[in-house]
Amino acid sequence: MLRTWLTPVPEIPVPPDPAKLEPQLRAYIADHVRSVLQAPRSPQRRATLGLVYAANGLWAEAKRTFQTVIALQPREPLARMYYAVACQELGQRDEALRRFQELTTQFPQFAPGYYRLGEALLGAGDAGRAAAAFRRLTELAPQEWRGYAGLGDALLRQGDVTNAVKWLEQAVHMDASAQPAHYLLGQAYQRTGRTNDAPRELKLGLNAQHYPMPDAWSVQAPQHMKRVQDEVDMAQQYVKAGYPDRAIPILETALRYNTNSLPLLHNLAFAYERAGQPQKALPLVERTLQIDPRYVSGYVLLSAVWLALGRNDAALTNADHAAKLAPNTVQPHLARANALLALERDAEAVTALDTAAACDPRNPQIHTDLGDILYRNLNRPDAALGEYQKAAAIDPLFLPAQLRLAELQWQLGRTNEAVAALRTANQIAPKDERVAVLARRLGAAPPP
């Protein structure tokens, strides 16, 4: 007997013009569409396809896919939440807010739902209800700093500055890297008249990037990003964080679909160089310069690759060429300084860094590097101290400068100045191991 009670197989949303998609993304979507065709009633496979669409900005297709997941698996809160997120991304703010409200009503223990609801309510100008949502989030996820920061933000908008400070301080204590919370705390300090503390917090939160509260699906999203710019950004973040080995497979795969992409070639070469594989980086950098013989970043990277391969003269030659192409750009002069240091031409390296500092006068790292060479290589502690002081004046919250100031002042017998710099370093990064190590060193070995 036929099982006529079965519902029809839901459609599989696909982009209307796949030919306009980037090659790797087009192939990746096709693979996941085929996966759904093999098991069209699988909510898991549909959810993964929805994440693929969402991760690559195809929100109309993502919305329709998550709607199907809801029908197939009504008790899955993540599907309902991401349906609402898709509505947000498509500009359907009222619908999104209504869906977030329904989500928290149907799943009152689902913490990410309260985060999304709170953010949506703040966006709608309803700080009172947002505060209630974030307060609930602090109860459900007491280790999540966004709950405390969101509550502080809502209270600040309501004019309850004293309580806002309390919650925001708890947020930054919970996670010192939470830039949005620092910025909000700086605003709150301003309004309470704490003019000494406010600039520090505002600086720590400057250019804060807002990332939603993680959930079981969002942690999977990066693996589904297949647009070239997204992959380059992700790879750069891995390299910056000290994990070039994680960037390499992402870029290698992307390069197979985009063989002459200058950003992919350059960033893969850079990842190889950072990972200690300069021999793999060399042919890639050379390809970038074949594509664009005036590619300044290519010559800068080639200089670093030759340094890693022990070819110091070649490193300087390429850095010099980059400096001729872009005399007012900082990176070529930094490359020249590195090559000159490798050639033990320290005084010339100082001159190169002076030029770099003139190109980028608001960069405290350059003055810190200058101080290091003057102190450690040329035995000029007073000149080094001046450079560290310049770095600290440019950015009082630049931790390396404060650490160098504390150590050098201590060595010069200026105990009060050393203690003041160390105190500042501790205010900037109270949990940083370098601060604790230096404090132990200075305490154990006082100057004569």
Side-chain angles (χ1 to χ4, degrees):
M1 182 176 178
L2 291 176
R3 299 171 66 182
T4 55
W5 51 268
L6 284 177
T7 59
V9 174
E11 67 163 337
I12 303 174
V14 294
D17 193 352
K20 292 183 178 180
L21 301 175
E22 293 179 10
Q24 185 182 7
L25 176 57
R26 184 167 62 246
Y28 194 71
I29 289 173
D31 285 343
H32 283 279
V33 168
R34 281 192 291 270
S35 174
V36 173
L37 285 170
Q38 292 168 2
R41 289 189 173 83
S42 167
Q44 291 76 24
R45 296 192 185 196
R46 295 264 183 175
T48 300
L49 178 60
L51 287 176
V52 170
Y53 287 141
N56 293 285
L58 298 168
W59 288 105
E61 292 78 10
K63 178 183 174 182
R64 290 161 58 198
T65 304
F66 291 131
Q67 188 173 29
T68 300
V69 178
I70 294 170
L72 293 171
Q73 198 170 25
R75 299 303 299 170
E76 173 51 76
L78 284 164
R80 295 177 182 275
M81 186 175 81
Y82 276 93
Y83 179 87
V85 171
C87 290
Q88 275 185 321
E89 295 292 336
L90 293 168
Q92 301 160 3
R93 305 289 180 179
D94 292 341
E95 174 67 5
L97 180 55
R98 184 176 69 82
R99 293 282 182 163
F100 287 135
Q101 290 169 332
E102 290 179 355
L103 174 66
T104 54
T105 299
Q106 294 170 337
F107 300 93
Q109 303 301 314
F110 183 57
Y114 286 94
Y115 166 77
R116 299 283 185 170
L117 176 59
E119 289 291 315
L121 287 166
L122 284 179
D126 192 341
R129 292 172 63 204
F134 286 120
R135 193 179 298 276
R136 178 60 175 156
L137 176 57
T138 65
E139 297 167 355
L140 293 172
Q143 300 306 312
E144 173 55 62
W145 66 267
R146 291 170 183 83
Y148 304 95
L151 180 52
D153 188 359
L155 292 171
L156 197 59
R157 297 186 192 207
Q158 292 177 291
D160 188 354
V161 182
T162 301
N163 279 315
V165 166
K166 180 186 72 172
W167 291 104
L168 292 168
E169 285 179 338
Q170 192 163 348
V172 299
H173 177 74
M174 189 166 294
D175 188 343
S177 67
Q179 286 183 294
H182 280 290
Y183 194 78
L184 288 166
L185 182 57
Q187 292 180 313
Y189 280 161
Q190 281 182 323
R191 291 172 62 175
T192 58
R194 294 174 61 173
T195 54
N196 292 330
D197 297 324
R200 179 186 71 246
E201 296 301 324
L202 291 171
K203 184 74 175 180
L204 288 171
L206 190 64
N207 299 321
Q209 293 183 320
H210 294 260
Y211 296 103
M213 177 180 170
D215 58 68
W217 284 8
S218 69
V219 296
Q220 303 173 34
Q223 73 188 59
H224 298 305
M225 292 180 178
K226 301 302 174 186
R227 293 179 294 189
V228 169
Q229 189 56 59
D230 289 337
E231 292 181 300
V232 168
D233 291 344
M234 184 163 40
Q236 289 175 341
Q237 289 174 9
Y238 278 134
V239 173
K240 184 178 180 180
Y243 302 107
D245 290 337
R246 297 184 187 180
I248 288 171
I250 296 170
L251 297 169
E252 286 177 336
T253 301
L255 191 60
R256 290 200 290 268
Y257 291 88
N258 305 272
T259 54
N260 290 317
S261 168
L262 205 60
L264 289 175
L265 287 166
H266 179 84
N267 282 279
L268 180 54
F270 184 61
Y272 279 140
E273 189 269 331
R274 294 286 90 185
Q277 302 179 59
Q279 71 283 356
K280 288 188 175 182
L282 182 59
L284 297 179
V285 185
E286 291 174 336
R287 275 179 63 189
T288 68
L289 295 173
Q290 290 170 359
I291 294 170
D292 182 0
R294 297 184 62 80
Y295 186 43
V296 173
S297 295
Y299 290 105
V300 170
L301 180 54
L302 186 55
S303 176
V305 169
W306 282 129
L307 270 184
L309 291 170
R311 294 279 304 279
N312 299 336
D313 288 328
L316 182 58
T317 298
N318 282 280
D320 284 342
H321 189 65
K324 289 177 182 177
L325 288 173
N328 297 318
T329 303
V330 65
Q331 293 301 329
H333 300 291
L334 295 177
R336 290 194 72 248
N338 285 329
L340 289 164
L341 284 171
L343 291 164
E344 299 185 4
R345 293 159 60 177
D346 296 343
E348 293 175 77
V350 168
T351 301
L353 284 177
D354 280 332
T355 305
C359 294
D360 189 5
R362 300 303 301 167
N363 188 332
Q365 184 65 61
I366 297 174
H367 291 285
T368 304
D369 292 340
L370 267 168
D372 289 347
I373 298 170
L374 290 166
Y375 180 39
R376 297 169 183 170
N377 296 25
L378 299 175
N379 194 28
R380 295 173 57 190
D382 290 331
L385 182 63
E387 295 299 330
Y388 295 148
Q389 289 171 332
K390 287 179 185 177
I394 291 170
D395 183 357
L397 299 180
F398 187 60
L399 181 62
Q402 297 294 346
L403 292 174
R404 302 294 203 289
L405 279 172
E407 184 173 12
L408 183 52
Q409 297 275 30
W410 192 268
Q411 293 297 328
L412 294 173
R414 302 170 182 173
T415 307
N416 292 338
E417 291 88 343
V419 170
L422 185 60
R423 185 181 299 114
T424 300
N426 188 61
Q427 290 174 339
I428 296 169
K431 297 181 181 179
D432 194 295
E433 181 61 22
R434 291 171 295 176
V435 177
V437 169
L438 183 59
R440 289 195 294 269
R441 284 180 56 195
L442 301 191

